[in-house]
Amino acid sequence: QVQLVESGGGSVPTGGSLRLSCSASGGNFRSYTMAWFRQATGKEREVIAVSWRNTGNSYYADSVKGRFTISRDNDKNAIYLEMSSLKPEDTAVYYCGASRQIILSSIFSSNAYGYWGQGTQVTVSS
């Protein structure tokens, strides 16, 4: 079982940047596919970036492609989300999630991840 803790949220103006961090403990980190999700008020949770287990290959939702970068440090048991060119529509609670058994065709399904952090708020002002 893995425990996840996010940090790094905050308030930025449109066009600004933020870096989110997610620290993991309690499992073999390399064997987990890790992901960043977000949930805006009144909307469903959305998977936005994925780091595939072992290889670290990255995948992105179209809504953030070219603006956000996911990375992982297996030695530190951590993943990161570098966010740039932020827009007001990026405002949401951001979560990290983990799964050991997810298949590639399901990586953008939020229900496929069994472990979640508590979330960190990101607010982008216009």
Side-chain angles (χ1 to χ4, degrees):
Q1 190 152 349
V2 63
Q3 292 80 44
L4 304 171
V5 179
E6 303 95 337
S7 61
S11 297
V12 295
T14 297
S17 300
L18 273 177
R19 185 186 196 226
L20 306 183
S21 301
C22 172
S23 296
S25 60
N28 180 2
F29 184 74
R30 293 176 186 268
S31 68
Y32 284 87
T33 292
M34 303 297 296
W36 285 101
F37 307 75
R38 66 186 181 186
Q39 187 166 20
T41 302
K43 295 189 176 181
E44 293 187 356
R45 191 169 294 190
E46 173 191 19
V47 180
I48 57 172
V50 179
S51 175
W52 188 253
R53 55 181 176 263
N54 296 319
T55 66
N57 288 345
S58 302
Y59 304 88
Y60 298 94
D62 289 342
S63 57
V64 305
K65 198 173 295 182
R67 300 188 299 123
F68 291 11
T69 302
I70 187 172
S71 60
R72 67 191 295 159
D73 186 332
N74 288 330
D75 292 330
K76 295 183 178 179
N77 289 359
I79 62 168
Y80 308 96
L81 187 68
E82 298 276 0
M83 305 185 293
S84 62
S85 302
L86 283 162
K87 308 172 183 180
E89 51 263 43
D90 294 317
T91 295
V93 178
Y94 284 69
Y95 303 86
C96 64
S99 174
R100 288 190 64 184
Q101 299 173 330
I102 195 169
I103 59 175
L104 193 57
S105 60
S106 298
I107 59 173
F108 287 105
S109 173
S110 60
N111 292 333
Y113 294 82
Y115 303 100
W116 301 88
Q118 82 290 348
T120 186
Q121 177 71 44
V122 172
T123 302
V124 184
S125 58
S126 57

